[in-house]
Amino acid sequence: MAEPAELAYGDILARAAELASSLLECGDARTSADAEELLDWLDAYHREGLGRLVEMVRQWRGELFLEQAALDPVVGDLLATYGLGTDTDAAAVDRVVQLALDEVRPYIHSHGGEVEVLSARDGVVSLRMHGNCNGCTASDDTVTRRIEAALREHWIDFRRVETEQHTAAPHPPPSPGQAQAATGLAIGPRPS
């Protein structure tokens, strides 16, 4: 067994991939499932930690630093793995975020609401809720259960959603009759 200090950087990742494949394909369902879960947790840990670091650097106007870091073969690979540090294809990110939100919009519209993307950068999507969603006590559930799920499905680098503070007073979600009056759309189960 080689010690990590004995391997070159590029070889470390290759060795980790070999070990992961060995565990995932070992034939023992429990070991494979545990290995897959471990890899998922490590990935989530690194994605969020590096994402927060990049956000801090940006807050300190560190764009030039991030550009230089992205040029380093080790740091650049790590940032690129998680889609962080450079906005090389912001238009592609915008398209993916809009595609994900387009899946959720019919539900939001059915409640007399709308969602606006303020920004999408480094895996963080900032949103503003409008209409009946502004101040709705169920909007957090809509963000968590519907919007985040759609973003996670479409954008591999997605980390979290941040929503702008509501400007309307807190209120319960509209009843089906209220939403239909406001939007002309009925919500609830389809009639048989």
Side-chain angles (χ1 to χ4, degrees):
M1 177 179 118
E3 293 294 320
E6 297 172 1
L7 296 175
Y9 171 74
D11 296 333
I12 292 172
L13 196 55
R15 180 64 182 139
E18 284 176 24
L19 290 170
S21 292
S22 174
L23 289 170
L24 291 170
E25 298 166 3
C26 73
D28 178 51
R30 176 73 181 169
T31 300
S32 295
D34 286 350
E36 185 172 2
E37 183 181 356
L38 173 65
L39 291 171
D40 288 344
W41 282 116
L42 286 172
D43 181 62
Y45 177 79
H46 290 127
R47 181 181 309 276
E48 186 62 24
L50 286 170
R52 288 179 183 213
L53 178 63
V54 168
E55 286 177 42
M56 287 180 220
V57 170
R58 286 193 195 284
Q59 287 174 356
W60 286 89
R61 304 205 183 274
E63 300 298 326
L64 183 60
F65 172 79
L66 287 174
E67 288 173 17
Q68 291 302 306
L71 296 175
D72 179 85
V74 175
V75 176
D77 280 353
L78 190 56
L79 292 173
T81 296
Y82 294 103
L84 298 168
T86 58
D87 293 326
T88 53
D89 200 353
V93 169
D94 289 342
R95 284 192 302 274
V96 168
V97 169
Q98 290 303 327
L99 176 68
L101 291 178
D102 285 347
E103 290 182 1
V104 181
R105 278 195 169 96
Y107 174 79
I108 294 170
H109 291 167
S110 75
H111 288 90
E114 182 56 82
V115 61
E116 174 188 2
V117 177
L118 301 175
S119 68
R121 182 181 224 172
D122 295 321
V124 179
V125 179
S126 297
L127 302 174
R128 178 182 298 141
M129 304 302 279
H130 294 283
N132 284 340
C133 291
N134 185 4
C136 178
T137 55
S139 67
D140 287 343
D141 185 59
T142 299
V143 168
T144 303
R145 295 182 67 183
R146 295 179 186 264
I147 294 175
E148 285 185 1
L151 288 166
R152 197 167 278 109
E153 181 180 328
H154 290 283
W155 188 16
I156 194 167
D157 297 324
F158 172 72
R159 291 177 34 233
R160 70 176 182 276
V161 167
E162 294 177 349
T163 54
E164 189 177 76
Q165 290 293 323
H166 295 294
T167 56
H171 58 83
S175 68
Q178 290 172 323
Q180 187 172 4
T183 64
L185 301 171
I187 63 171
R190 292 177 188 229
S192 334

